[in-house]
Amino acid sequence: MPTASENTLFGMGNPLLDISAVVDKDFLDKFGLKPNDQILAEDKHKALFEEIVKRNKVEYHAGGSTQNSVKIAQWMIQKPHKVATFFGCIGTDHFGEILKKKAEEAHVDAHYYEQNEEPTGTCAACITGDNRSLVANLAAANCYKKEKHLDLDSNWELVTKAKVYYIAGFFLTVSPESILKVAKHASDNNKIFCMNLSAPFISQFFKEPLMMIMPYVDILFGNETEAATFAKELGFETDDIAEIAQKTQNLPKANAKRQRVVVFTQGKDDTVATVGERVTMFPVLDIDQNDIVDTNGAGDAFVGGFLSALVQEHALEECIRAGHYSANVIIRRVGCTFPEKPEFH
């Protein structure tokens, strides 16, 4: 089997510094947060980010959906380092420096577009007991510019080095023109372009850019909720997940040499994937409910494990097995974190 080499995997997305801390109910009430939620920051949350750092023992992790996935792919592969390249936008500030250091520690070859108009994006994870309330402030992540970064020769060269590309749907809200350039390159050169539906709001409010990219998508990821919303937006008139997978597979495709693969996860239920003309169910690994600490990074982790096998040219079944393994590891821990080495064979 081919082993992965440097810069084989390319990811682009919203780099966020995850700031997690244990807080009390008063803190949640002060900022009007529910114990278990994921929201985008509004003006009233601005002070939250300064306060959470001051008042609690804080953990920092390089985050953002795509960056999480490529980081986990790198962790699964272990050696060589820098199998994964990552592009995204940060600010020229303290949090940006932490993000660079964290990416380096994860052995990801991050090349950030740095600008000083907006601060580095952050995601505050306010933990109370088993609950975590997430507040994301995209800030700099929103400022990625194709012509200022992706189009530069030295950066584009890294794009062309890759064989597998992964971009979460979240980036459609930032720079669809960047995604299109990368997707077309993959399609024109018979390489593998992967995308994620990421959240129901992407299919609902960013359907146009999503469908502009879809003909170039070789592998599409999503969970059951995102799949159902996507089907509704496209008028599939079915809520059967296998049927949705099949109809998604049959959407128009630019590179006819590769049949589209659709992979939908369903939490503890079987993962659904199109294998050739059929739809196959793949059971996830058993886990005791009491061992589940935090399911939040599970989707990103599944994709990361999947990609680690994909860049080594393993079969689809093997990619899914790797995805199930890494997701199973991540849900036992707070945030998208992992032990030193995987125990996956």
Side-chain angles (χ1 to χ4, degrees):
M1 277 288 171
T3 51
S5 51
E6 275 192 22
N7 307 112
T8 315
L9 174 63
F10 175 84
M12 180 165 61
N14 298 333
L16 302 175
L17 185 71
D18 287 343
I19 307 170
S20 51
V22 174
V23 300
D24 50 22
K25 191 178 175 302
D26 291 347
F27 185 90
L28 295 182
D29 293 344
K30 179 175 177 179
F31 294 104
L33 303 177
K34 294 178 192 156
N36 230 345
D37 206 5
Q38 302 188 41
I39 62 166
L40 285 174
E42 297 166 44
D43 282 343
K44 66 177 181 186
H45 301 117
K46 287 272 152 55
L48 179 152
F49 291 89
E50 290 149 28
E51 199 169 312
I52 197 167
V53 175
K54 275 197 207 119
R55 56 173 277 165
N56 300 293
K57 186 164 156 267
V58 179
E59 279 190 26
Y60 293 103
H61 298 284
S65 182
T66 305
Q67 190 165 237
N68 278 342
S69 292
V70 298
K71 197 167 65 166
I72 284 170
Q74 178 66 58
W75 170 72
M76 286 283 284
I77 292 164
Q78 290 283 309
K79 291 264 163 65
H81 292 161
K82 298 192 170 181
V83 167
T85 314
F86 179 77
F87 286 5
C89 182
I90 60 173
T92 48
D93 51 22
H94 174 58
F95 282 167
E97 290 306 312
I98 296 176
L99 211 44
K100 285 197 272 194
K101 190 166 146 284
K102 291 288 180 185
E104 203 178 316
E105 284 168 10
H107 307 300
V108 169
D109 194 14
H111 294 255
Y112 298 115
Y113 168 48
E114 299 179 41
Q115 48 74 60
N116 54 16
E117 278 162 44
E118 284 282 339
T120 296
T122 45
C123 180
C126 312
I127 301 164
T128 51
D130 289 344
N131 295 319
R132 65 202 305 259
S133 195
L134 301 175
V135 186
N137 182 24
L138 291 184
N142 240 339
C143 302
Y144 190 83
K145 298 275 183 292
K146 174 176 166 289
E147 58 287 350
K148 296 249 180 90
H149 193 263
L150 186 68
D151 292 345
L152 303 183
D153 289 346
S154 57
N155 290 332
W156 186 249
E157 200 179 314
L158 286 167
V159 177
T160 62
K161 263 181 90 173
K163 294 184 181 142
V164 174
Y165 301 84
Y166 174 66
I167 301 175
F170 289 124
F171 201 57
L172 287 164
T173 74
V174 175
S175 185
E177 58 285 356
S178 295
I179 304 177
L180 189 61
K181 184 176 182 181
V182 172
K184 276 187 167 159
H185 166 79
S187 180
D188 292 346
N189 294 278
N190 197 29
K191 297 176 181 183
I192 304 173
F193 182 81
C194 313
M195 199 156 184
N196 202 317
L197 292 174
S198 290
F201 81 85
I202 299 293
S203 296
Q204 290 169 314
F205 306 115
F206 295 88
K207 182 176 152 190
E208 198 180 323
L210 175 64
M211 296 320 289
M212 173 179 80
I213 308 296
M214 196 57 72
Y216 305 101
V217 176
D218 296 301
I219 303 177
L220 182 71
F221 298 102
N223 66 23
E224 72 279 39
T225 320
E226 293 150 11
T229 307
F230 180 72
K232 199 167 148 218
E233 288 299 323
L234 264 71
F236 284 172
E237 297 187 342
T238 177
D239 47 20
D240 177 70
I241 192 138
E243 215 177 314
I244 295 171
Q246 208 137 33
K247 289 192 172 200
T248 305
Q249 180 184 39
N250 293 331
L251 290 169
K253 190 152 190 316
N255 175 15
K257 290 189 200 123
R258 289 184 187 277
Q259 186 179 31
R260 182 180 293 119
V261 173
V262 180
V263 184
F264 291 145
T265 55
Q266 309 188 83
K268 64 183 184 331
D269 295 325
D270 293 1
T271 294
V272 178
T274 58
V275 183
E277 303 306 312
R278 297 199 322 280
V279 174
T280 308
M281 302 294 195
F282 296 88
V284 301
L285 295 167
D286 280 337
I287 185 168
D288 185 328
Q289 280 307 111
N290 299 322
D291 292 335
I292 299 177
V293 174
D294 179 5
T295 58
N296 189 46
D300 294 341
F302 172 81
V303 172
F306 187 104
L307 294 171
S308 72
L310 186 65
V311 296
Q312 296 175 81
E313 297 178 29
H314 292 302
L316 178 68
E317 291 77 357
E318 196 53 26
C319 295
I320 290 173
R321 196 171 76 85
H324 284 163
Y325 169 79
S326 49
N328 184 275
V329 170
I330 263 67
I331 59 179
R332 297 166 190 268
R333 307 165 68 94
V334 170
C336 206
T337 60
F338 34 80
E340 194 192 341
K341 285 198 166 122
E343 291 171 17
F344 180 74
H345 307 290

